[in-house]
């Protein structure tokens, strides 16, 4: 009798397992883009790239696409929601931005990659790997952009997006190598790093002879005091940066400052990027 019950139970378990397996056979992965990899000599490591390819992208046609480079572009960071914003705003019935490739650069060490050397001892101790943004900028310029242009169907239009320390890095690029991108989306930049020394950076961008068409969107929320013992206020620093950029003499540079008092450092990025797309793609 016990054997009979056991056989019946095993049979029922087998049928249930088969039914569940059969039920799941129709399931497929939801593919948002592709995962690529680049071996960087500048950084001495491999870097993961999460890449969104717009609807209709084909290797064998003649259509090329603008590229949007995204810092903090890991799957569990900003890649998914930014790719969604680009897809949504490029729908034909919205047509706010052109169909674009989004290149999410997965994070390895933000302090190392997004900061230049600091003179503040407290910052040196709290972030011992910091101060190597020059290597990351060289990676963007000499390796990543050529890699994307070689392997994907791109135009010359290049945008970069970054928040917080990522915003600090973008500001550094903007001032030191303004030709590297056409559009800069800078969100809540950590200009407090090295007690705001980046404000002292001179730049060809600010000269009347600067000839590259460049659009800059700068946003900050209600964020208050910055980390560390040196008192600085995020909103004040962002305003100072906006004024520095607006004081430039080149007619080819457009600067848009966006204060979002209902957002804070944690919530600002999605709303700011959405606003930036409206402003930079009129």
């Amino acid at each position: 009798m016990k054997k009979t019950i056991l056989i019946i139970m095993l049979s029922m378990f087998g049928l249930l397992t088969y039914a569940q397996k059969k039920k799941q056979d129709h399931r497929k992965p939801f593919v948002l883009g592709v995962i690529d990899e680049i071996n960087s000599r500048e950084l001495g490591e491999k870097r993961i790239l999460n890449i969104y390819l717009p609807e209709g992208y084909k290797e064998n046609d003649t259509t090329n696409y603008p590229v949007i480079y995204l810092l903090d572009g890991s799957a569990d960071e900003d890649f998914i929601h930014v790719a969604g914003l680009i897809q949504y705003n490029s729908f034909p019935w919205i047509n706010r931005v052109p169909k674009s490739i989004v290149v999410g650069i997965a994070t390895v060490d933000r302090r190392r990659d997004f900061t230049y050397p600091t003179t503040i001892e407290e910052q040196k101790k709290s972030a011992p790997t910091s101060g190597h943004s020059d290597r990351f900028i060289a990676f963007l310029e000499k390796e990543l952009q050529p890699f994307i242009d070689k392997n994907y169907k791109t135009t010359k239009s290049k945008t970069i997006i970054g928040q917080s320390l990522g915003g600090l890095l973008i500001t550094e690029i903007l001032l030191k190598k303004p030709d590297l991108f056409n559009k800069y989306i800078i969100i809540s930049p950590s200009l407090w790093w090295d007690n705001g020394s980046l404000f002292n950076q001179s730049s060809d961008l600010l000269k009347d002879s600067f000839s590259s068409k460049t659009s800059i969107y700068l946003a900050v929320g209600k964020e208050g005091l910055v980390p560390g013992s040196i008192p600085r206020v995020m909103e004040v620093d962002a305003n100072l940066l906006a004024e520095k950029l607006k004081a430039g003499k080149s007619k080819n540079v457009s600067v848009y400052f966006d204060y979002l008092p209902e957002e804070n450092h944690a919530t600002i990025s999605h709303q700011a990027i959405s606003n930036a797309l409206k402003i930079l793609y009129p």
Side-chain angles (χ1 to χ4, degrees):
M1 183 67 178
K2 288 183 179 180
K3 287 184 178 180
T4 303
I5 294 172
L6 181 61
I7 292 169
I8 292 171
M9 289 178 65
L10 288 172
S11 299
M12 289 177 66
F13 178 76
L15 287 170
L16 182 61
T17 303
Y18 174 77
Q20 287 178 336
K21 184 177 180 182
K22 193 167 184 179
K23 185 178 179 181
Q24 293 175 3
D25 282 345
H26 68 280
R27 296 181 181 177
K28 300 176 183 178
F30 182 83
V31 179
L32 183 64
V34 299
I35 299 174
D36 211 335
E37 189 177 72
I38 179 172
N39 192 10
S40 172
R41 291 184 178 180
E42 295 291 341
L43 299 175
E45 63 191 13
K46 290 182 179 180
R47 297 301 292 256
I48 298 297
L49 308 173
N50 296 306
I51 300 177
Y52 164 76
L53 299 174
E55 186 271 330
Y57 181 96
K58 295 178 182 178
E59 293 286 348
N60 57 356
D61 68 15
T62 58
T63 306
N64 293 327
Y65 299 88
V67 183
I68 298 172
Y69 291 87
L70 174 66
L71 303 178
D72 296 317
S74 299
D76 59 352
E77 293 178 304
D78 293 340
F79 176 72
I80 293 175
H81 79 88
V82 172
L85 279 172
I86 302 304
Q87 182 208 33
Y88 175 80
N89 282 281
S90 65
F91 283 145
W93 55 91
I94 296 175
N95 197 28
R96 182 170 287 153
V97 302
K99 290 184 177 181
S100 303
I101 298 168
V102 179
V103 178
I105 309 165
T107 298
V108 173
D109 184 341
R110 299 177 84 249
R111 296 272 178 169
R112 180 196 70 185
D113 292 338
F114 297 170
T115 63
Y116 51 87
T118 179
T119 59
I120 309 300
E121 290 301 321
E122 180 185 346
Q123 293 176 353
K124 290 179 182 179
K125 291 178 181 178
S126 63
T129 63
S130 65
H132 298 290
S133 59
D134 57 335
R135 296 180 191 172
F136 194 80
I137 295 170
F139 160 68
L140 293 175
E141 179 181 16
K142 299 176 182 178
E143 297 177 330
L144 182 57
Q145 286 190 355
F147 176 86
I148 295 299
D149 289 339
K150 179 181 178 181
N151 292 284
Y152 297 89
K153 300 174 66 61
T154 66
T155 67
K156 293 183 178 180
S157 176
K158 296 177 174 64
T159 300
I160 188 166
I161 302 173
Q163 184 200 3
S164 194
L165 286 177
L168 175 71
L169 176 77
I170 295 179
T171 305
E172 183 182 1
I173 295 171
L174 177 65
L175 295 175
K176 293 181 178 179
K177 289 183 174 288
D179 288 318
L180 205 52
F181 297 93
N182 313 109
K183 293 181 174 65
Y184 293 80
I185 299 177
I186 305 171
I187 305 167
S188 302
S190 297
L191 299 168
W192 49 266
W193 183 256
D194 194 33
N195 197 24
S197 64
L198 195 57
F199 284 112
N200 301 322
Q201 177 71 46
S202 60
S203 178
D204 289 339
L205 178 83
L206 306 176
K207 299 176 182 178
D208 58 2
S209 58
F210 185 74
S211 59
S212 298
K213 197 74 174 175
T214 304
S215 298
I216 305 160
Y217 170 88
L218 170 61
V220 68
K222 193 170 184 180
E223 306 182 41
L225 288 171
V226 303
S229 58
I230 301 174
R232 299 189 72 96
V233 178
M234 188 76 78
E235 295 94 309
V236 174
D237 279 350
N239 270 282
L240 289 172
L241 176 60
E243 291 304 314
K244 178 182 176 75
L245 297 174
K246 288 179 179 179
K249 298 178 180 180
S250 174
K251 295 181 180 179
N252 294 301
V253 178
S254 301
V255 182
Y256 307 90
F257 179 69
D258 198 5
Y259 176 50
L260 303 174
E262 294 184 1
E263 309 297 338
N264 58 42
H265 200 69
T267 65
I268 189 173
S269 63
H270 194 93
Q271 185 62 58
I273 295 169
S274 183
N275 289 358
L277 298 180
K278 295 179 197 175
I279 292 170
L280 299 186
Y281 297 91

